[in-house]
Amino acid sequence: MHQRQDFVRKTPSMNVPFLDLKANANSIKDEVMASWQEVLENTAYVLGPKVAAFEKAFAEAHDVKHCYGVSTGTDGNHLASLALNIGPGDELIVPANTFIATAWGATLVNATPVFVDCEPDSYNIDPAAIEAAITPRTKAIAVVHLYGQPADMDPILAICKKHGLGLIEDCAQSHLAEYKGKKVGGIGDIASFSFYPGKNLGAWGEGGAITTNNEDLGRFVDMFRNQGQEKKYYHKVYGHNYRLEGLMGAVLLIKMKYIAGWTEARRKVAAYYDAHLSGIAELTLPTPMPYAKHVYHLYVVQTPKRDAMSTYLTEHGVGNGLHYPIPNHLQECFAHLGYKKGQFPVSEQLGANCLSLPMFPEMTEAQMEHVVKTVRGHFGA
Ligand SMILES: *Cc1c(COP(=O)(O)O)cnc(C)c1O
């Protein structure tokens, strides 16, 4: 095909989206449509056999005894706090650097989030800083396996044991991630997952799950998510409607066949970035910790002139994002808690310098090359 030279020159060489949900959906569309047809035929719109089959597969994949599909990851955080009996006057320790929904685990039960700084290498909650945040009101710790890398669980488990605290895992970004060879989701007392579309395991709508090895906590979650019912119209505990929908269960069940492969594909993208972006003075790459199998929900780099880099990438067709620009302790909604700027320097520096590069399992070699070429171009490297 003939093209004018000036037209060729002005056409962006390539556009790499930050995330390509359509490519992912297209790869399983026919299977999902056939499965949705079954849901329509048996009218199992809420919970039902697809959700039950998914819960079983998801629990097995995480080596955990119980899994309950719920409406969202945020509702899962609420449920986890309720299950651990966290309430008014109690404190829940939460990393300063995480998506805010981890902190809602405290506020939704009228407890207080107590923020702790993160480590400069793992970006996860700093176990060494947790003990200083413990007070007589501390009830539990909510760890987040942020960006897909598990937090350092052994020292945190030891702290929980020593002080008699509960341990919640926020696994919204860490499906199938491992700590010392053990899957997340069954390491603490109770864990919350999100299946928001952009997560490593995403529904075609909202979704979440609770996992636990504790039968009593599991039974509570099972009742609370479904109006507090032990069986129909027998309401043993207070409840809510936090049920997962049948159509979402069907998508998630199909995705369970592919999630391991998609996780490996994410890890390959990360390995490619690691190999081709190292050695740039003003660019800090993520640090894979020796105890962790990172599942790269996000590939977060740091650079001092972050906004300039973001603009350059956008102008050159490379999607990018900020995770997260304002740490929780500096959010307006928590102003009354009295945190000060400078209090959590690692989280604050990360907020100022972080930039997330395109990361999704369907990325092609050409897309990865374009990202690397553009980043190197920005640094003149
Ligand atoms: C996405 C996310 C949540 C909330 O999940 P939703 O399903 O969107 O409600 C909670 N915690 C973390 C760390 C998240 O990334």
Side-chain angles (χ1 to χ4, degrees):
M1 194 175 73
H2 176 75
Q3 286 182 307
R4 287 190 348 258
Q5 277 311 305
D6 62 335
F7 177 77
V8 172
R9 230 183 314 108
K10 280 178 193 159
T11 306
S13 58
M14 181 179 262
N15 267 301
V16 185
F18 178 64
L19 182 63
D20 192 346
L21 290 181
K22 205 159 194 177
N24 185 264
N26 283 340
S27 73
I28 55 168
K29 195 160 92 191
D30 293 345
E31 269 184 284
V32 173
M33 288 306 165
S35 180
W36 277 15
Q37 194 67 40
E38 287 174 51
V39 176
L40 296 187
E41 256 144 46
N42 63 18
T43 64
Y45 301 129
V46 177
L47 297 177
K50 293 292 184 194
V51 170
F54 164 69
E55 289 170 340
K56 188 164 177 289
F58 195 74
E60 275 168 15
H62 288 84
D63 295 320
V64 64
K65 282 189 195 144
H66 310 285
C67 172
Y68 301 96
V70 300
S71 34
T72 68
T74 304
D75 295 335
N77 287 346
H78 183 198
L79 264 169
S81 290
L82 286 168
L84 293 186
N85 210 19
I86 301 168
D90 293 334
E91 292 174 354
L92 177 66
I93 290 177
V94 175
N97 174 44
T98 175
F99 182 59
I100 198 156
T102 314
W104 298 155
T107 60
L108 286 167
V109 296
N110 296 309
T112 306
V114 172
F115 297 112
V116 167
D117 208 355
C118 64
E119 298 176 309
D121 47 6
S122 74
Y123 302 153
N124 278 316
I125 193 166
D126 185 353
I130 290 176
E131 277 203 286
I134 293 174
T135 76
R137 292 142 90 96
T138 309
K139 199 75 183 262
I141 301 170
V143 299
V144 184
H145 307 304
L146 198 69
Y147 311 144
Q149 172 149 266
D152 192 2
M153 296 303 279
D154 279 347
I156 298 171
L157 283 162
I159 292 166
C160 288
K161 200 167 168 199
K162 180 174 160 195
H163 296 271
L165 305 177
L167 183 54
I168 297 169
E169 291 174 80
D170 183 332
C171 298
Q173 306 188 356
S174 59
H175 315 76
L176 293 185
E178 292 174 18
Y179 175 73
K180 297 186 178 172
K182 190 176 178 358
K183 293 275 179 359
V184 300
I187 301 173
D189 296 300
I190 190 163
S192 168
F193 286 85
S194 167
F195 307 128
Y196 181 74
K199 307 288 177 161
N200 287 26
L201 181 66
W204 289 2
E206 304 275 7
I210 289 283
T211 58
T212 180
N213 284 309
N214 182 314
E215 196 173 337
D216 291 336
L217 297 183
R219 205 176 315 116
F220 170 82
V221 167
D222 193 18
M223 289 189 285
F224 191 95
R225 71 169 172 174
N226 194 11
Q227 309 288 6
Q229 295 178 113
E230 193 171 30
K231 53 184 184 172
K232 204 170 170 85
Y233 302 132
Y234 287 78
H235 307 274
K236 196 178 173 75
V237 295
Y238 288 178
H240 207 303
N241 174 357
Y242 280 170
R243 297 174 300 229
L244 182 62
E245 295 181 8
L247 294 172
M248 297 307 123
V251 176
L252 293 166
L253 179 61
I254 286 164
K255 285 194 168 191
M256 286 310 290
K257 292 195 279 183
Y258 304 104
I259 180 73
W262 289 337
T263 301
E264 289 317 309
R266 285 176 181 276
R267 287 168 55 78
K268 282 204 180 113
V269 175
Y272 187 92
Y273 286 162
D274 288 345
H276 293 87
L277 292 175
S278 64
I280 300 173
E282 296 215 297
L283 187 71
T284 305
L285 303 182
T287 309
M289 303 305 283
Y291 50 72
K293 181 178 176 183
H294 197 322
V295 297
Y296 292 99
H297 172 57
L298 296 166
Y299 190 93
V300 178
V301 301
Q302 285 196 76
T303 188
K305 294 185 196 105
R306 187 269 313 285
D307 293 343
M309 177 171 170
S310 171
T311 303
Y312 184 91
L313 294 188
T314 304
E315 279 170 358
H316 290 78
V318 174
N320 56 90
L322 304 184
H323 303 90
Y324 296 90
I326 304 170
N328 286 313
H329 67 290
L330 300 179
Q331 291 290 347
E332 192 175 343
C333 64
F334 294 128
H336 64 285
L337 296 177
Y339 290 96
K340 298 274 179 304
K341 210 174 163 128
Q343 201 167 345
F344 300 127
V346 183
S347 297
E348 289 171 34
Q349 184 187 312
L350 189 59
N353 294 359
C354 67
L355 190 65
S356 307
L357 299 184
M359 171 56 75
F360 50 94
E362 296 77 15
M363 270 186 93
T364 63
E365 190 88 14
Q367 288 177 316
M368 289 186 248
E369 270 171 29
H370 182 65
V371 174
V372 162
K373 204 178 70 185
T374 308
V375 172
R376 297 197 75 90
H378 170 65
F379 288 100

